[in-house]
Amino acid sequence: MAQLLILLLLFIMPYNIHGCSPSFDIHNDLPQNTPQLKFHCASGDDDLGYHYPAIGSDFHWSFCATPATLFFCHFWWNEKELAFDVFNQITGCVTDGSVPDYVVNCHWQVKADGIYLGYFDYDVDQIIYTKYRDW
């Protein structure tokens, strides 16, 4: 019984504490009077479907994650397209991103010059964005 408790503490509890907190926002910050943004996001287990957010609006989702969880999105806008992982690491959102390791709430911003990855910085009370991909 003690061995089972140790296994629970070592392997299951960390995922219950940290694993159900990741969330994402995709914000459409494209210019007015431009073509419609379209995106499709999915993981190996969940298909979030196709979305067509209005300019200035957000798409939000949250989920429980393990170290193997991966979400990707495919974006289309103005005859351009991009596809990449939007989550592949329990802390820091993506392995090649520029957010601190403690971040689990990822903010994606779609703009005319590319897609930005951001996080909420409590010290300055705002979301800090860095360009992640050019169109």
Side-chain angles (χ1 to χ4, degrees), residues 4 12 28 37 45 60 70 80 83 95 106 108 121:
L4 179 61
I12 296 173
N28 181 352
L37 171 67
D45 299 323
H60 175 82
L70 181 148
K80 302 172 187 177
T95 55
C106 309
W108 295 94
D121 185 329

Side-chain angles (χ1 to χ4, degrees), residues 78-112:
N78 201 20
E79 299 183 21
K80 302 172 187 177
E81 65 179 278
L82 281 173
F84 54 87
D85 293 350
V86 295
F87 180 88
N88 58 23
Q89 176 172 300
I90 286 184
T91 57
C93 305
V94 290
T95 55
D96 62 344
S98 59
V99 299
D101 285 343
Y102 62 83
V103 171
V104 293
N105 300 315
C106 309
H107 297 269
W108 295 94
Q109 181 183 44
V110 181
K111 298 179 76 168

Side-chain angles (χ1 to χ4, degrees), residues 10-135:
L10 290 176
F11 295 105
I12 296 173
M13 291 301 291
Y15 303 129
N16 288 337
I17 292 169
H18 299 291
C20 287
S21 58
S23 68
F24 293 90
D25 289 298
I26 297 176
H27 182 74
N28 181 352
D29 199 20
L30 291 166
Q32 294 290 334
N33 302 316
T34 61
Q36 176 69 54
L37 171 67
K38 172 176 126 177
F39 65 86
H40 175 251
C41 299
S43 72
D45 299 323
D46 298 304
D47 187 335
L48 303 177
Y50 288 86
H51 296 273
Y52 306 84
I55 292 170
S57 68
D58 291 303
F59 172 74
H60 175 82
W61 80 94
S62 59
F63 54 94
C64 292
T66 70
T69 301
L70 181 148
F71 273 93
F72 70 90
C73 292
H74 194 152
F75 297 86
W76 295 269
W77 175 73
N78 201 20
E79 299 183 21
K80 302 172 187 177
E81 65 179 278
L82 281 173
F84 54 87
D85 293 350
V86 295
F87 180 88
N88 58 23
Q89 176 172 300
I90 286 184
T91 57
C93 305
V94 290
T95 55
D96 62 344
S98 59
V99 299
D101 285 343
Y102 62 83
V103 171
V104 293
N105 300 315
C106 309
H107 297 269
W108 295 94
Q109 181 183 44
V110 181
K111 298 179 76 168
D113 67 337
I115 298 183
Y116 291 71
L117 171 59
Y119 66 97
F120 191 84
D121 185 329
Y122 291 96
D123 292 333
V124 294
D125 200 31
Q126 68 181 15
I127 299 172
I128 306 297
Y129 287 103
T130 303
K131 186 181 251 186
Y132 185 71
R133 294 278 192 276
D134 289 316
W135 280 109

